[in-house]
């Protein structure tokens, strides 16, 4: 490290505070702290600040503003475009702010701004509680929830954005404030564009397990009322759990007709006889077991910060299905390549006047994941997925509104993203961030 005279003035200022943790490229911990989920984002931040509380976040904002340095905020660092790290900025890494406090009434929880989804779910599950959560447990909860928050349990309880009840924010001036209703509305959809969220209050729910007596009764009542098909054979059975703590209920199903469409419809009727039955799963799972299973499926750090994107559809039309079919007819480029769909229905699709999140209609988000484990595959994979993105939009069936967390910055039209709330969001941005201190935040509201 050079002498103070050779340092950037911001660093010289911050290093006068030994109580603050600040990392630069010469720091021993840099190689462990700097990487994000996507490895090959070339951005070179000026430094990484690691606050432990709201007061230290305020100190970092004051210092950055004093020296004219932009800020980017990192939660889980799982953004598939690597956008939590920006060139020449001061990265405020929130991961030390990971407190989780459950209220006495067990209806709300208070989360630190850097807590990860997996930690939230594990803590809640230990108290027989839960809340909607994203598909990958290493994603930062705050960023996931504030940008919309598609994921497990959303059809029942709403999106992540719908769980936010309160927020504590550090403003562009370094003030620590409790968000009022206006600011909360902006946070619920436009995320950290108006300040650094250091604390969230969210809704939580009892984790309810179906009682086997009611499940059996519902199954037979419904099955007896069904019109039976000679081609559909079912065999319900119960078997002990591994730890002998209870019984598992399953149904074997066989379809003996070449009419697979009719078979799928029949299977759908059977699945409807259970409580939230999932025909792709064959065993009971707790939220903790689910996220641990997902961890086992998910690759570690990957390459391809420009290789992913998202496209939304009111429904996947035949034209869109043909595009996907043609894509899947080609061999994958890398073992990390994925194509998956997130569904929004039920309460998630209902308008909420207390949120600026724009995509309030039943729809599916097709996530195009072109990340790679092998860096030699990045160029080919990125091109392949970019072509898929173009072809899906070329069907004319894609929605204009998108999910910013899964969409490249260049492909995100904020006027469509927020719809009728766009002017409200822009006015709020000008009110809470007039100097552009938080302009690195997604979705980008300014050029």
């Amino acid at each position: 490290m050079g002498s103070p005279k050779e340092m950037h003035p911001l660093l010289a200022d911050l290093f006068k505070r030994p109580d603050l943790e600040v990392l630069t490229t010469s720091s021993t911990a840099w190689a462990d702290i700097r990487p994000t989920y996507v490895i090959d984002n070339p951005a070179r931040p000026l430094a990484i600040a690691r606050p432990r509380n709201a007061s230290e976040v305020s100190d970092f904002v004051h210092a950055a503003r004093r020296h004219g340095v932009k800020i980017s905020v990192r939660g889980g660092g799982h953004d598939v475009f690597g956008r939590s790290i920006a060139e020449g900025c001061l990265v405020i890494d929130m991961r030390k702010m990971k407190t989780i406090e459950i209220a006495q009434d067990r209806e709300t929880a208070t989360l630190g701004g850097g807590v990860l989804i997996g930690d939230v779910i594990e803590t809640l599950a230990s108290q027989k509680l839960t809340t909607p959560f994203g598909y990958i447990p290493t994603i930062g909860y705050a960023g996931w929830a504030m940008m919309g928050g598609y994921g497990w349990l959303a059809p029942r309880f709403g999106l992540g954005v719908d769980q936010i009840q309160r927020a504590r924010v550090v403003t562009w001036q370094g003030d620590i404030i409790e968000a009022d209703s206006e600011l909360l509305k902006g946070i619920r959809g436009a995320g950290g564009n108006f300040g650094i969220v250091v604390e969230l209050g969210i809704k939580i729910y009892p984790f309810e397990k179906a009682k086997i007596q009611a499940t059996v009764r519902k199954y037979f009542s419904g099955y007896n009322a069904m019109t039976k098909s000679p081609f559909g054979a079912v065999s319900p059975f119960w078997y002990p759990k591994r730890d002998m703590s209870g019984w598992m209920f399953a149904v074997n199903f066989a379809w003996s007709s070449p009419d697979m469409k009719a078979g799928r419809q029949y299977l759908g009727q059977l699945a409807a006889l259970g409580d939230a039955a999932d025909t792709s799963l064959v065993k009971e799972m707790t939220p903790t077991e689910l996220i641990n299973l997902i961890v086992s499926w998910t690759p570690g750090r990957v390459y391809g910060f420009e290789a992913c994107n998202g496209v939304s559809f009111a429904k996947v039309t035949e034209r869109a299905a043909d595009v996907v079919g043609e894509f899947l007819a080609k061999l994958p480029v890398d073992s990390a390549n994925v194509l998956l769909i997130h569904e929004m229905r039920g309460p998630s699709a209902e308008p909420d006047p207390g949120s600026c999140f724009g995509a309030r209609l039943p729809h599916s988000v097709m996530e195009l994941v072109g990340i790679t484990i092998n860096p030699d595959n990045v160029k080919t994979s990125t091109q392949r997925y970019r072509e898929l993105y173009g072809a899906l939009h070329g069907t004319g069936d894609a929605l204009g509104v998108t999910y910013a967390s899964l969409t490249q910055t260049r492909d995100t039209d904020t006027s469509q993203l927020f719809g009728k709330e766009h002017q409200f969001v822009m006015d709020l941005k000008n009110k809470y961030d007039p100097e552009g201190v938080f302009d690195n935040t997604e979705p980008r509201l300014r050029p």
Side-chain angles (χ1 to χ4, degrees):
M1 183 179 298
S3 68
K5 290 184 180 180
E6 297 171 329
M7 289 182 188
H8 189 285
L10 171 60
L11 296 182
D13 198 359
L14 291 176
F15 286 144
K16 295 175 183 177
R17 291 278 307 275
D19 56 313
L20 298 178
E21 184 177 353
V22 180
L23 304 179
T24 66
T25 54
S26 61
S27 301
T28 304
W30 181 267
D32 294 326
I33 301 302
R34 161 59 178 85
T36 56
Y37 179 66
V38 176
I39 299 170
D40 56 338
N41 173 6
R44 297 165 298 179
L46 175 64
I48 299 175
R50 308 198 74 207
R52 295 164 297 182
N53 51 52
S55 179
E56 290 188 356
V57 173
S58 174
D59 291 339
F60 287 125
V61 171
H62 274 299
R65 183 181 173 223
R66 189 161 54 243
H67 294 284
V69 174
K70 297 281 189 181
I71 287 171
S72 68
V73 179
R74 173 185 177 148
H78 212 289
D79 180 70
V80 290
F81 312 107
R83 296 176 295 196
S84 58
I85 305 290
E87 183 71 23
C89 73
L90 176 66
V91 176
I92 296 186
D93 183 341
M94 301 290 289
R95 286 177 290 175
K96 286 194 170 184
M97 299 179 63
K98 54 184 181 181
T99 55
I100 303 171
E101 298 178 5
I102 298 172
Q104 287 188 347
D105 62 10
R106 294 169 60 84
E107 295 181 354
T108 61
T110 299
L111 311 180
V115 71
L116 303 182
I117 285 174
D119 296 329
V120 174
I121 296 308
E122 287 186 0
T123 300
L124 293 179
S126 71
Q127 301 297 315
K128 294 183 168 39
L129 297 165
T130 192
T131 195
F133 56 100
Y135 297 97
I136 306 295
T138 50
I139 292 173
Y141 181 91
W144 167 81
M146 293 188 299
M147 295 280 279
Y150 292 65
W152 309 108
L153 304 183
R156 180 174 180 185
F157 297 120
L159 297 172
V161 74
D162 300 321
Q163 312 312 315
I164 299 172
Q165 291 195 310
R166 52 165 295 271
R168 198 175 183 211
V169 180
V170 175
T171 72
W172 67 284
Q173 294 174 308
D175 297 329
I176 303 171
I177 65 170
E178 187 71 17
D180 60 16
S181 59
E182 178 190 54
L183 183 52
L184 269 179
K185 180 177 178 178
I187 287 171
R188 296 178 182 132
N193 261 291
F194 318 109
I196 300 176
V197 176
V198 294
E199 189 176 277
L200 279 180
I202 65 165
K203 301 175 188 176
I204 57 178
Y205 308 89
F207 175 52
E208 303 169 352
K209 298 176 72 173
K211 293 183 178 179
I212 196 163
Q213 298 96 322
T215 302
V216 172
R217 192 180 307 115
K218 180 178 180 181
Y219 173 81
F220 280 111
S221 174
Y223 187 72
N224 291 336
M226 276 179 58
T227 300
K228 309 299 189 297
S229 168
F231 303 110
V234 298
S235 175
F237 67 101
W238 296 260
Y239 59 95
K241 295 180 179 179
R242 286 187 177 182
D243 62 0
M244 303 299 290
S245 64
W247 293 90
M248 300 288 286
F249 178 29
V251 176
N252 284 327
F253 171 71
W255 183 256
S256 57
S257 166
D259 187 347
M260 291 296 104
K261 181 178 180 180
R264 285 189 291 270
Q265 291 174 342
Y266 196 75
L267 178 59
Q269 293 179 59
L270 291 171
L273 303 180
D275 294 318
D278 186 340
T279 56
S280 70
L281 300 175
V282 295
K283 68 175 184 178
E284 181 180 346
M285 283 187 177
T286 67
T288 301
E289 289 170 335
L290 179 59
I291 62 175
N292 288 336
L293 179 62
I294 295 168
V295 167
S296 71
W297 295 341
T298 306
R301 288 173 174 157
V302 295
Y303 298 89
F305 72 97
E306 293 183 322
C308 302
N309 225 327
V311 186
S312 296
F313 294 90
K315 65 177 181 178
V316 179
T317 61
E318 288 187 8
R319 287 188 292 263
D322 288 343
V323 169
V324 172
E326 292 174 8
F327 175 83
L328 296 175
K330 302 175 184 177
L331 293 176
V333 176
D334 191 275
S335 61
N337 288 176
V338 179
L339 178 65
L340 64 154
I341 293 176
H342 309 284
E343 185 182 36
M344 184 202 269
R345 56 185 171 82
S348 300
E350 296 175 2
D352 179 1
S355 165
C356 67
F357 183 76
R360 294 293 186 174
L361 71 165
H363 69 280
S364 295
V365 180
M366 193 174 295
E367 184 178 1
L368 320 180
V369 186
I371 53 176
T372 71
I373 294 173
N374 186 341
D376 295 335
N377 293 334
V378 170
K379 183 176 180 181
T380 303
S381 184
T382 300
Q383 180 179 351
R384 176 82 62 83
Y385 275 81
R386 190 67 192 174
E387 290 170 354
L388 174 60
Y389 175 83
L392 288 168
H393 271 279
T395 64
D397 299 326
L399 297 173
V401 67
T402 187
Y403 183 25
S405 291
L406 301 180
T407 307
Q408 291 192 23
T409 302
R410 61 177 169 172
D411 298 316
T412 301
D413 182 340
T414 57
S415 64
Q416 294 198 48
L417 180 67
F418 295 111
K420 65 180 183 179
E421 299 290 357
H422 182 250
Q423 190 58 53
F424 163 79
V425 170
M426 295 307 301
D427 291 344
L428 202 64
K429 177 70 170 175
N430 292 331
K431 176 180 178 179
Y432 280 93
D433 190 22
E435 295 183 1
V437 173
F438 305 117
D439 277 355
N440 285 322
T441 302
E442 295 293 333
R444 300 287 176 97
L445 298 181
R446 297 185 179 123

